[in-house]
Amino acid sequence: MTALRVVLGDQLSDDLTALSDLDLAQDIVLMMEVQAENTVVGHHKQKIVLVLSAMRHFADALRARGVTVDYVKLDAPDNTGDFATEIQRAVARRRPSRIIVTEPSEWRVRTLVEGWEALTGTPVEVRADLRFFATHARFAAWAQGRRGWRMEHFYREMRREHGLLIEDGQPAGGEWNYDQANRKRLPAGAVPPTRLRIPPDAITREVIALVQNRFPDHFGELEDFGWPVTRAEALLALDDFIVNGLPNFGDYQDAMKAGAPFLFHSLLAPALNLGLLSPREVCRAAEAAWRSGAAPLNAVEGFVRQILGWREYVRGVYWTLMPDYADRNALDATRKLPEFYWTGDTAMRCLREAIGGTARYAYSHHIQRLMVTGNFALLAGIAPREVERWYLAVYADAFEWVEMPNTLGMAIFADGGQMASKPYAASGAYIDKMSDFCSGCAYDVKQKTGKNACPFNYLYWAFLIRQKDRLCGNPRLAMPYRTLAGWPPARQAAILAEADAFLDRVDDHDRQPEFALDGL
Ligand SMILES: Cc1cc2nc3c(=O)[nH]c(=O)nc-3n(C[C@H](O)[C@H](O)[C@H](O)COP(=O)(O)OP(=O)(O)OC[C@H]3O[C@@H](n4cnc5c(N)ncnc54)[C@H](O)[C@@H]3O)c2cc1C
Ligand code: SF4
């Protein structure tokens, strides 16, 4: 009575439900590296290395425990390259009485798995993924009957339910949210800590060579690969964050600095999303740091909110609204993605920094994603599908269930306000306030119009003018729309013309670079 237990690339957890009652004597764990999963979007080379190397290490750890693992490597000569044919081949090899798998994290793969029983003629048991704080049913119960799904309300329920940073039934320190304290600019001259990067071992080096060879045209560089690929390494990364990042995580959560992509962020999303760390242990470690006096409450609450709040909430949004969610385009955005999102070749320093860091590390932190690359995509009206596929392609931590709601809901308001109460649209002033980018930029953040003006300035107003019918009733946008109402039509028309001319230059990048400024 052999059970074939399938472990997917982001299910690398000892407590996975598919492994819970594993019979060492009879059962077989199947792990498949398939070409199709690496080319759905052209993932960053580091993302492919991360997943394949972590899978190979996980298989070795299972074998060390006496588990029989049937592992299909990407470059195995008989590998057929997709899940459907690989599961058929595995069933033919092993003749299991049933297949057991934990529910995939992504809609598309879940649909594939649902077809396995018909494909193989073998019963398939799909088990719930219990590695999250909230089940699908828990989120659905919370969302039921609510019009706007505000994360903050969900988060407070989660805090109470899981007893994190709760004292005598009340939020620790008396407040649920210390966001106001978490918006500091990094002082000039402040030196961010050196963060732990893990040098590739022999397995990772072998995978790097494989990826270099198989996916040479994919986005991104491999030289600086430093992500944890085992649970032991992930625990080291967690320790590094608790000591070197967490104490300042809150204060500088929204800060950006040229040449310093990591600052005080945890860098834990790749390990969390693969299952090398559990969200519970990470939140508990942060809470323990606060209780021992090693980190202040605003930092620890800010961090717990990202995981117990945002991470769980976006998963709930994804699974409640898919598959239709993927097609949302509430602002009718249609522009194509500018080429510089792949090359970093732009005179806008903020975008160059964010995209350059992304190519080098498969990472940029949340504010760069939301307020630089995301803000530009929102203001420029780039088609949601193009923006969403870009975010899925370029980060080591990118998995659709977490990436898609962040992109469509938070960054570009394509869901029309299901998640955010207003679009995160901002002019250059926000980027200037939170970073040191503008001082070294070819554009002038103080100029609102004219050929040297920061493009974010006129793009911001042009966005509000264009979207007036949709957005002017939003109470959170009342102030800018009041300002706009005082501008004569000719001024508004001039801003629209300037924005259009700029965006045409961006579209026409090859022939007429957007950075055709005086002196460049
Ligand atoms: C457009 C866009 C796309 C994104 N795509 C992804 C993605 O594909 N995968 C991903 O894990 N995160 C994504 N995020 C959320 C967030 O930016 C990353 O989780 C974070 O930058 C990862 O770096 P870190 O581990 O250093 O995070 P930290 O800043 O240290 O935060 C701690 C942890 O909290 C969680 N977290 C923080 N913010 C969010 C959020 N908004 N949603 C869900 N979890 C969050 C992550 O697990 C993260 O590791 C996206 C955000 C935006 C705006
Ligand atoms: S001036 Fe504008 S384009 Fe340049 S870095 Fe600042 S915000 Fe970005």
Side-chain angles (χ1 to χ4, degrees), residues 265-269 273 306-307 363 366 397-398 402-403 406:
H265 290 271
S266 72
L267 316 181
L268 294 177
N273 294 349
Q306 304 312 312
I307 294 182
Y363 180 84
H366 186 67
D397 56 43
V402 52
E403 173 273 328
N406 268 297

Side-chain angles (χ1 to χ4, degrees), residues 143-221:
Q144 176 83 35
R146 288 174 193 262
R147 272 200 302 141
W149 293 352
R150 297 294 165 252
M151 194 288 291
E152 187 66 28
H153 304 149
F154 173 74
Y155 166 60
R156 291 180 188 187
E157 284 193 16
M158 289 290 105
R159 281 269 295 279
R160 281 221 168 83
E161 212 160 289
H162 296 278
L164 268 159
L165 298 177
I166 295 289
E167 296 190 311
D168 301 326
Q170 294 305 314
E175 303 287 340
W176 287 105
N177 181 322
Y178 293 87
D179 236 7
Q180 291 302 332
N182 290 358
R183 293 181 183 147
K184 296 197 179 82
R185 191 181 204 269
L186 203 66
V191 182
T194 304
R195 302 301 301 280
L196 179 75
R197 304 291 292 159
I198 298 182
D201 65 5
I203 294 178
T204 303
R205 287 198 300 274
E206 189 181 309
V207 178
I208 286 176
L210 174 71
V211 168
Q212 195 70 280
N213 190 25
R214 276 222 171 194
F215 308 99
D217 300 330
H218 280 218
F219 176 74
E221 299 154 22

Side-chain angles (χ1 to χ4, degrees), residues 346-352 372 376 427-432 435-446 452-457 514:
T346 164
M348 290 177 279
R349 190 176 183 213
C350 50
L351 281 157
R352 214 168 54 229
V372 179
F376 187 89
S427 69
Y430 175 85
I431 295 173
D432 192 32
S435 78
D436 62 357
F437 297 153
C438 300
S439 55
C441 183
Y443 295 103
D444 182 350
V445 72
K446 301 281 185 245
N452 288 333
C454 166
F456 280 93
N457 291 342
E514 134 263 336

Side-chain angles (χ1 to χ4, degrees), residues 94-347:
R94 301 293 182 172
R95 310 222 160 272
S97 57
R98 58 192 177 133
I99 297 170
I100 300 173
V101 60
T102 295
E103 56 173 326
S105 66
E106 189 177 326
W107 182 272
R108 181 185 56 82
V109 183
R110 164 112 207 185
T111 311
L112 292 178
V113 164
E114 280 163 1
W116 284 358
E117 190 158 324
L119 259 185
T120 62
T122 309
V124 176
E125 184 188 340
V126 180
R127 295 183 175 175
D129 190 343
L130 300 180
R131 297 174 299 163
F132 293 85
F133 284 102
T135 60
H136 298 317
R138 179 67 187 88
F139 184 86
W142 173 79
Q144 176 83 35
R146 288 174 193 262
R147 272 200 302 141
W149 293 352
R150 297 294 165 252
M151 194 288 291
E152 187 66 28
H153 304 149
F154 173 74
Y155 166 60
R156 291 180 188 187
E157 284 193 16
M158 289 290 105
R159 281 269 295 279
R160 281 221 168 83
E161 212 160 289
H162 296 278
L164 268 159
L165 298 177
I166 295 289
E167 296 190 311
D168 301 326
Q170 294 305 314
E175 303 287 340
W176 287 105
N177 181 322
Y178 293 87
D179 236 7
Q180 291 302 332
N182 290 358
R183 293 181 183 147
K184 296 197 179 82
R185 191 181 204 269
L186 203 66
V191 182
T194 304
R195 302 301 301 280
L196 179 75
R197 304 291 292 159
I198 298 182
D201 65 5
I203 294 178
T204 303
R205 287 198 300 274
E206 189 181 309
V207 178
I208 286 176
L210 174 71
V211 168
Q212 195 70 280
N213 190 25
R214 276 222 171 194
F215 308 99
D217 300 330
H218 280 218
F219 176 74
E221 299 154 22
L222 278 167
E223 289 70 21
D224 289 295
F225 185 92
W227 298 106
V229 293
T230 65
R231 175 157 168 79
E233 290 174 356
L235 288 170
L236 289 178
L238 174 58
D239 286 350
D240 174 67
F241 168 64
I242 299 287
V243 174
N244 292 313
L246 185 60
N248 287 303
F249 176 86
D251 284 1
Y252 304 118
Q253 196 174 345
D254 290 0
M256 297 177 280
K257 183 176 165 60
F262 304 145
L263 295 178
F264 304 97
H265 290 271
S266 72
L267 316 181
L268 294 177
L272 280 164
N273 294 349
L274 291 184
L276 301 176
L277 292 175
S278 86
R280 286 187 184 80
E281 72 186 327
V282 166
C283 289
R284 290 287 171 211
E287 183 181 40
W290 168 64
R291 292 199 185 277
S292 71
L297 186 55
N298 70 308
V300 174
E301 187 282 315
F303 179 71
V304 167
R305 177 149 31 93
Q306 304 312 312
I307 294 182
L308 178 65
W310 281 110
R311 190 170 185 269
E312 297 289 326
Y313 166 81
V314 298
R315 179 173 181 259
V317 169
Y318 178 82
W319 279 103
T320 311
L321 298 180
M322 279 297 276
D324 299 345
Y325 194 70
D327 297 322
R328 297 273 184 108
N329 187 2
L331 300 181
D332 279 334
T334 53
R335 191 171 289 277
K336 70 180 170 55
L337 190 78
E339 184 60 21
F340 68 67
Y341 272 75
W342 299 110
T343 61
D345 186 8
T346 164

